[in-house]
Amino acid sequence: MQIGIVGLGRMGANIARRLMRGGQTCVVYDHAPEATQAVVADGATGASDLGDLVKKLAAPRSVWLMLPAGKITEDTLNDLYEILEAGDTVIDGGNSFYKDDIVHAAKLKEKGIHFVDVGTSGGVWGLERGYCMMIGGDKDVVQRHDPILSVLAPGRGDIPATPNREGRDTRVENGYMHVGPVGSGHFVKMVHNGIEYGLMQAYAEGFDILKHKSSTELPEAQRYDLDIADIAEVWRRGSVVSSWLLDLTAGALAGNSTLDKYSAEVADSGEGRWTIEAAIEEAVPAQVLSAALYSRFRSREENSFADRMLSAMRFGFGGHKEFTPGLK
């Protein structure tokens, strides 16, 4: 299947590469020509602008956007509205706000252009591991793009089958899911990221407690000089708190046990805030997720080991660079 990809950053470029590895055809464009050429070197067809990209796609066209949420995505969608035709599809694979999806889909529908929102998780590791995808849109449109989605998905791998799933959608077990109508994919991904905030904060606080067990403020008999890196490693093996986030934590600690190369100023990318807003709208208590978001706000005012660990995890799964100036 042929697809256009707009936005060739940390994830967009690797999405194109994974699709090409899976036998799909990609026409790619990024506002930075060097980013476009890097993917062209791996087998894609390059485009000089959006108009050129659309011309190089056969109808009905499919254009996957992998852009930052907000104005850049909004402007790109407005441009595509002018040059795409009825029957074409725009897929937003970024972290757009689900309420914006509903507005975008309604506008595109005026010209008969389809809209699909794909909450995409996998970060910088997606090229090799695949991408977990949560998809919103009309059933028939989503199904038509299954050749693309199935290649991007991680597949079953060696994860044991869950009992009692007979008769359910088998795509889910391969790591991608048609969640529901437009906006639902990004809504589920939004909550996914809100949960991610809470999990990361729990690890960060727990390891901070372990690290400070050597404090001279404690009675000498109660002080332990704990090897934090080894604790992370042993927890990876058989512990109920094992996870990919813990894998990334162990790797970061093994290479730099003080994590002093990280700034400890932890950004929030929007989904955490939107998750809390949804909880308020639904009157659902979300104490842990709220506290995790506020901890990120606080991190910009003081520097702690827990915050450096959050920065280390963000770099591990997403390539988010929050390094201390001069250190890498």
Side-chain angles (χ1 to χ4, degrees):
M1 184 173 180
Q2 185 191 46
I3 189 165
I5 299 178
V6 178
L8 303 173
R10 287 190 302 262
M11 290 180 68
N14 281 344
I15 283 174
R17 292 184 177 106
R18 185 171 175 90
L19 286 172
M20 290 186 291
R21 287 184 182 182
Q24 311 303 309
T25 303
C26 295
V27 181
V28 300
Y29 166 69
D30 191 278
H31 73 282
E34 60 274 17
T36 301
Q37 288 306 311
V39 183
V40 168
D42 289 328
T45 299
S48 57
D49 54 35
L50 285 178
D52 187 36
L53 179 133
V54 169
K55 288 178 183 176
K56 290 177 176 176
L57 293 171
R61 304 166 188 86
S62 296
V63 180
W64 183 298
L65 305 184
M66 209 66 198
L67 299 168
K71 189 175 187 306
I72 294 176
T73 294
E74 186 86 30
D75 290 346
T76 303
L77 282 165
N78 287 335
D79 291 341
L80 288 171
Y81 176 85
E82 299 297 332
I83 57 179
L84 290 177
E85 300 174 344
D88 294 343
T89 302
V90 176
I91 303 168
D92 184 354
N95 283 327
S96 294
F97 187 37
Y98 78 98
K99 292 182 181 179
D100 291 341
D101 292 335
I102 298 169
V103 174
H104 296 155
K107 179 175 180 178
L108 291 170
K109 190 175 181 179
E110 294 171 2
K111 285 187 63 174
I113 302 168
H114 306 295
F115 182 87
V116 174
D117 56 289
V118 180
T120 311
S121 181
V124 295
W125 297 88
L127 176 60
E128 303 300 333
R129 291 172 59 107
Y131 300 91
C132 174
M133 292 172 291
M134 299 134 268
I135 306 154
D138 292 343
K139 182 178 179 179
D140 291 345
V141 179
V142 172
Q143 185 60 43
R144 182 162 65 82
H145 289 86
D146 196 70
I148 296 293
L149 300 168
S150 61
V151 168
L152 289 175
R156 296 186 180 221
D158 58 1
I159 298 174
T162 301
N164 304 316
R165 280 197 54 85
E166 295 80 6
R168 291 182 174 270
D169 188 347
T170 57
R171 291 176 297 182
V172 174
E173 296 168 11
N174 285 295
Y176 67 114
M177 175 183 180
H178 181 206
V179 178
V182 165
S184 63
H186 278 153
F187 181 80
V188 173
K189 176 59 162 49
M190 177 190 81
V191 177
H192 163 286
N193 282 23
I195 293 170
E196 182 183 285
Y197 280 32
L199 292 172
M200 291 171 68
Q201 189 65 32
Y203 281 126
E205 292 178 9
F207 278 96
D208 208 15
I209 294 169
L210 293 170
K211 180 179 181 296
H212 283 85
K213 190 58 176 170
S214 61
S215 171
T216 56
E217 296 181 4
L218 295 171
E220 186 173 0
Q222 297 179 21
R223 296 177 208 159
Y224 305 136
D225 186 15
L226 301 172
D227 190 319
I228 307 300
D230 278 0
I231 291 171
E233 185 63 28
V234 77
W235 282 356
R236 292 181 62 215
R237 305 175 186 281
S239 165
V240 296
V241 299
S242 60
S243 71
W244 185 28
L245 283 173
L246 184 60
D247 295 345
L248 298 171
T249 299
L253 289 169
N256 178 220
S257 62
T258 62
L259 303 179
D260 56 9
K261 72 176 182 178
Y262 296 97
S263 71
E265 296 181 11
V266 186
D268 66 287
S269 54
E271 293 88 350
R273 300 186 190 208
W274 299 337
T275 300
I276 303 310
E277 290 174 3
I280 293 170
E281 290 173 356
E282 299 166 15
V284 172
Q287 299 95 319
V288 172
L289 305 190
S290 299
L293 175 63
Y294 297 145
S295 292
R296 293 195 177 198
F297 296 162
R298 179 204 42 74
S299 76
R300 298 159 205 172
E301 299 178 359
E302 63 182 75
N303 184 312
S304 73
F305 181 80
D307 295 330
R308 292 197 297 277
M309 180 166 287
L310 288 173
S311 286
M313 282 188 273
R314 276 171 55 80
F315 177 72
F317 68 75
H320 306 285
K321 295 182 179 179
E322 297 169 334
F323 296 129
T324 300
L327 292 175
K328 292 184 178 180

